C-alpha cells in the first residue's frame, strides 16, 4: 500500500488508492477478520498521517488492546494514541483494558498501558486509574517507574485534586540512580509544586530528605566531570559529560 501511494504522481491518484484501501479495510472490519486486524490498523495509521478520515477503525484499536498477545497490544495502543484523543467518547470503553494491563505480569505490557494513559488520559480515566499509576511508581523495573512518573504528570494536570497522592511516592524517587527515573521525578516534583500549594509546602519545609536529595543532585550535575562514575552513562571515560 505504501509503495502504491508513493508511486502516485497526482493527488487524484493518491485519493483513488486510499479509497480502495479503505474499502478493503472496511470489508475486513465487517467480516471481523482477526488474522489481519493488526495489519489493517497499521495501514489505517499511515492513512491517518496522510490526512484522510479513519474514524471507522477506532473500535479496531480497542479489540487489539483486549487481545492477549504483546504484538497485537502494541499496534492497538499505538493506534489508540494516534487515531483517538481524550475528547472521543469511545475512549471510555478502554478503561477496563488499561486497568488490566497496568496490573499485568509482563512489564512491557505495563509500559504500553502507561504510555497510552500518559498521552490520551481524560480526567475521568485519570481518576479511575490513578491508584494503579501510584503503585507503579515503586515498580521493580526503572523503565516502568519512569513511565509511571510521566503518566503521573498527566494525571495531576488533569485532576489537580489527586496531587497529594503522589507527593510521598515521588519523594522516594529522588534517591534513584537511574537517570531517566530521576529526570522524570524532578519534573513531577516541579509540576506538583505548581498545581498544589500543599505539595510546595511539603517539599519546601516538611520533607528535609527531599530537599537534601535535590541539593545532592544539583551538586553532582554542577560537578560535571567529577560526577560519580556510571557505566551506562559513560562517554569516552567521562560520566555525564553534558550534565552542565
Amino acid at each position: 500500500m505504501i509503495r502504491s501511494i508513493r508511486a502516485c504522481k497526482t493527488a487524484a491518484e493518491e485519493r483513488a488508492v486510499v479509497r480502495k484501501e479503505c474499502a478493503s479495510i472496511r470489508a475486513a472490519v465487517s467480516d471481523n477478520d482477526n488474522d489481519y486486524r493488526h495489519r489493517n490498523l497499521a495501514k489505517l495509521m499511515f492513512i491517518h498521517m496522510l490526512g484522510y478520515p479513519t474514524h471507522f477503525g477506532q473500535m479496531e484499536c480497542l479489540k487489539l488492546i483486549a487481545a492477549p498477545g504483546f504484538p497485537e497490544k502494541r499496534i492497538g495502543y499505538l493506534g489508540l494514541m494516534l487515531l483517538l484523543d481524550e475528547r472521543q467518547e469511545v475512549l471510555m470503553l478502554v478503561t477496563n483494558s488499561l486497568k488490566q494491563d497496568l496490573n499485568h505480569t509482563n512489564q512491557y505490557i505495563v509500559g504500553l498501558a502507561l504510555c497510552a494513559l500518559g498521552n490520551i488520559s481524560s480526567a475521568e480515566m485519570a481518576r479511575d486509574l490513578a491508584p494503579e499509576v501510584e503503585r507503579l511508581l515503586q515498580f521493580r523495573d526503572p523503565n516502568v517507574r519512569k513511565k509511571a512518573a510521566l503518566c503521573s504528570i498527566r494525571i495531576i494536570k488533569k485532576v489537580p485534586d489527586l496531587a497529594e497522592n503522589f507527593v510521598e511516592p515521588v519523594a522516594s524517587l529522588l534517591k534513584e540512580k537511574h537517570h531517566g527515573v530521576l529526570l522524570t521525578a524532578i519534573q513531577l516534583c516541579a509540576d506538583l509544586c505548581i498545581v498544589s500549594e500543599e505539595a510546595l509546602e511539603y517539599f519546601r519545609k516538611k520533607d528535609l530528605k527531599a530537599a537534601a536529595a535535590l541539593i545532592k543532585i544539583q551538586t553532582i550535575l554542577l560537578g560535571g566531570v567529577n560526577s560519580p562514575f556510571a557505566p551506562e552513562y559513560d562517554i569516552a571515560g567521562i560520566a555525564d559529560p553534558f550534565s552542565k
Side-chain angles (χ1 to χ4, degrees), residues 104-112 139-141 143-144 147:
H104 205 280
T105 54
N106 187 326
Q107 68 187 53
Y108 300 106
I109 291 178
V110 174
L112 289 176
F139 195 78
R140 63 183 183 278
D141 184 74
N143 290 312
V144 172
K147 292 174 182 177

Side-chain angles (χ1 to χ4, degrees), residues 231-244:
E232 63 268 35
Y233 307 110
D234 170 63
I235 299 177
I238 300 174
D240 293 327
F242 307 109
S243 58
K244 288 189 178 182

Side-chain angles (χ1 to χ4, degrees), residues 17 19-20 50 57 81-82 84 88-89 105 111 115 123 131 134-135 144 154 169 174 187 207 219 236:
V17 172
R19 277 198 301 269
K20 181 180 177 182
L50 292 176
M81 290 184 281
L82 191 62
L84 286 85
Q88 303 284 343
E89 293 183 3
T105 54
C115 284
E134 181 184 347
R135 176 182 57 80
V144 172
R154 171 96 180 189
L174 295 176
Q187 183 61 52
D207 191 3
T219 303

Side-chain angles (χ1 to χ4, degrees), residues 29 64 86 120 140 160 163 178 190 237:
V29 169
L64 283 173
E86 61 180 280
I120 61 169
R140 63 183 183 278
H178 189 280

Side-chain angles (χ1 to χ4, degrees), residues 41 57-67 72-73 75-81 83-103 109 112-122 124-126 128-129 132:
L41 185 56
Q58 291 177 348
M59 291 302 296
E60 296 299 284
C61 298
L62 275 61
K63 292 176 183 177
L64 283 173
I65 289 170
E72 291 82 8
K73 284 183 179 292
I75 293 293
Y77 276 119
L78 184 58
L80 185 75
M81 290 184 281
L83 303 181
L84 286 85
D85 57 45
E86 61 180 280
R87 295 169 295 179
Q88 303 284 343
E89 293 183 3
V90 71
L91 192 63
M92 294 304 299
L93 300 175
V94 81
T95 303
N96 286 335
S97 294
L98 277 168
K99 188 168 186 174
Q100 291 176 4
D101 288 343
L102 288 172
N103 291 286
I109 291 178
L112 289 176
L114 285 171
C115 284
L117 188 60
N119 275 282
I120 61 169
S121 171
S122 61
E124 292 79 8
M125 293 174 68
D128 292 338
L129 301 175
E132 278 71 24

Side-chain angles (χ1 to χ4, degrees), residues 159-181:
V159 190
D161 296 344
L162 296 174
E164 61 182 18
N165 298 339
F166 293 92
V167 173
E168 291 190 13
V170 76
S172 64
L173 294 182
L174 295 176
K175 303 172 186 176
E176 286 279 349
K177 293 183 179 180
H178 189 280
H179 292 195
V181 179

